[in-house]
Amino acid sequence: MGSVSFPQTHCAPLPDQDEPLIKVLTAVLPRGVFNIGDVIIITPTIKPQPNSDLFLIMLSVEILRREIGANGCWMLGSQDREPSDSQITSADGPKLHYLEDDSIRKLIELDTQSALTIVGVCAHTGEAIDEDTRKRALANASAYEAEITSLVANNLRNSVESLQGTETIVSPPTQHPEIPCLPNYSFPRHGEDVLLVIPTKNKFKTQLLKSLFECQAPKGVVVHLLTVPVDSNVGEQPYNDAGVRGAYNRISNALVQLGSEEEQSVLKDWGIGTVIVASIENFIQTDGVSRATDYGAIIIYNATTNQTRIRLSQGTTVPQAYVDRAKRFGFDENPDHGKVTVGQILAANVPGLDKADWHRVLAGKSRYDLLTEAAGAIEIPW
């Protein structure tokens, strides 16, 4: 199995380093596993000494891996710059491959054992080599190198102990955000029972809403639960009004799915007369606040009577540096639709922190408790 390793490589020494600790190059590799433009990260075979420069580099590699996994789309551009013509773009974007075995090392005839090697895939074995494509592959690998170098220098690495109690719990906004009018769905009545539709597979949210409806159900009312996982259409990390919009979208998308022949059969079999959809969406508020704050939005919509209730939880402030870091990895078309959650960034940089409930450590109160309290204050529109 042949391969070609291009001589146009460059090494990136850290400040005050005589020997390069990061090596960037391009290579031709077999088709099948790697796409052109993908970036391969090959770890050094020599174990770095604790707190050495190489140790900090490898720690940064692991942090970045925890932050974004195999997603390399951020290398093509971010909120700070437009995608460069010198970088490869595709529908899915480049992928990151983390390798510790010797297979690729042998393929590209790599003899460096004490450096982190970053390889941009510029062609597949047996294909003609295009110089522009090689330059673009090198640009992707160089973008990864720059990110690692910046991570070594930043101050986001932290411990649970040092962050404990550094943030605060704040009251929900006095003015609830407006939500668009939901479409008026006319589901046939098949009886007197109530169908509670929960548009997510999140176990906590499902149990919270189930318990809420059980506690508030009028005497004699039978409530059936149907989970209909749908997308929020606001990215992994909604900001500002996208939080409420995400909860709204889940309700709307679930109602559309409920109109299918299969789901209509369920309504008939269960004797449903009232359809209610309840949705929960956490979001980071950055506009109009002195400090970025995580809130939870709870929306309950009675599709039969066209009544809506909304409640925002108390908020938890969050260090701006981690918000900025999450935004670094881009958005799904809208600048309020983040691709990476702030919780993911926190957990990647703070070992032992729960990405879904960092609130408990930073502010002393669990996100789950905040949402439970907010839900308890809602009067369900039966």
Side-chain angles (χ1 to χ4, degrees), residues 143-159:
Y144 182 90
E145 171 213 339
E147 197 65 31
I148 292 301
T149 303
S150 69
L151 267 175
V152 171
N154 77 22
N155 59 353
L156 295 183
R157 293 185 300 278
N158 226 315
S159 67

Side-chain angles (χ1 to χ4, degrees), residues 66-121:
R66 292 197 298 261
E67 287 179 328
I68 44 83
N71 178 17
C73 293
W74 55 272
M75 294 186 297
L76 305 177
S78 70
Q79 72 278 9
D80 297 322
R81 65 181 189 272
E82 294 298 323
S84 169
D85 290 338
S86 65
Q87 294 172 316
I88 295 174
T89 59
S90 67
D92 297 327
K95 295 290 188 297
L96 303 177
H97 304 267
Y98 301 87
L99 302 179
E100 297 178 354
D101 56 52
D102 290 333
S103 58
I104 299 299
R105 188 183 296 274
K106 292 177 180 178
L107 273 177
I108 63 177
E109 301 176 358
L110 181 66
D111 57 3
T112 302
Q113 298 184 1
S114 59
L116 171 69
T117 305
I118 305 168
V119 182
V121 180

Side-chain angles (χ1 to χ4, degrees), residues 194 212-214 216-218 221 223 274 276 302 305 307 380-382:
V194 173
L212 175 66
F213 274 70
E214 288 175 347
Q216 290 195 25
V221 171
V223 179
T274 301
I276 301 178
N302 187 323
T305 63
Q307 293 178 286
I380 297 172
W382 297 100

Side-chain angles (χ1 to χ4, degrees), residues 142-266:
S142 298
Y144 182 90
E145 171 213 339
E147 197 65 31
I148 292 301
T149 303
S150 69
L151 267 175
V152 171
N154 77 22
N155 59 353
L156 295 183
R157 293 185 300 278
N158 226 315
S159 67
V160 167
E161 293 75 19
S162 61
L163 285 181
Q164 194 147 17
T166 56
E167 298 299 321
T168 58
I169 301 296
V170 299
S171 300
T174 55
Q175 183 176 359
H176 284 180
E178 295 183 3
I179 61 172
C181 292
L182 285 153
N184 190 4
Y185 289 87
S186 298
F187 295 108
R189 293 183 64 90
H190 300 288
E192 299 300 323
D193 289 3
V194 173
L195 178 65
L196 167 60
V197 180
I198 299 178
T200 180
K201 58 184 178 182
N202 182 284
K203 293 182 178 179
F204 167 75
K205 293 178 181 179
T206 299
Q207 185 57 48
L208 171 59
L209 293 169
K210 179 175 178 289
S211 299
L212 175 66
F213 274 70
E214 288 175 347
C215 290
Q216 290 195 25
K219 186 176 180 180
V221 171
V222 177
V223 179
H224 300 265
L225 174 65
L226 180 65
T227 301
V228 183
V230 291
D231 199 349
S232 68
N233 304 124
V234 293
E236 289 296 316
Q237 177 62 76
Y239 296 94
N240 304 311
D241 291 346
V244 171
R245 168 62 74 170
Y248 165 90
N249 288 344
R250 288 189 191 274
I251 292 174
S252 181
N253 292 340
L255 288 171
V256 170
Q257 191 165 323
L258 203 62
S260 68
E261 184 176 341
E262 180 181 355
E263 301 297 355
Q264 284 297 305
S265 178
V266 171

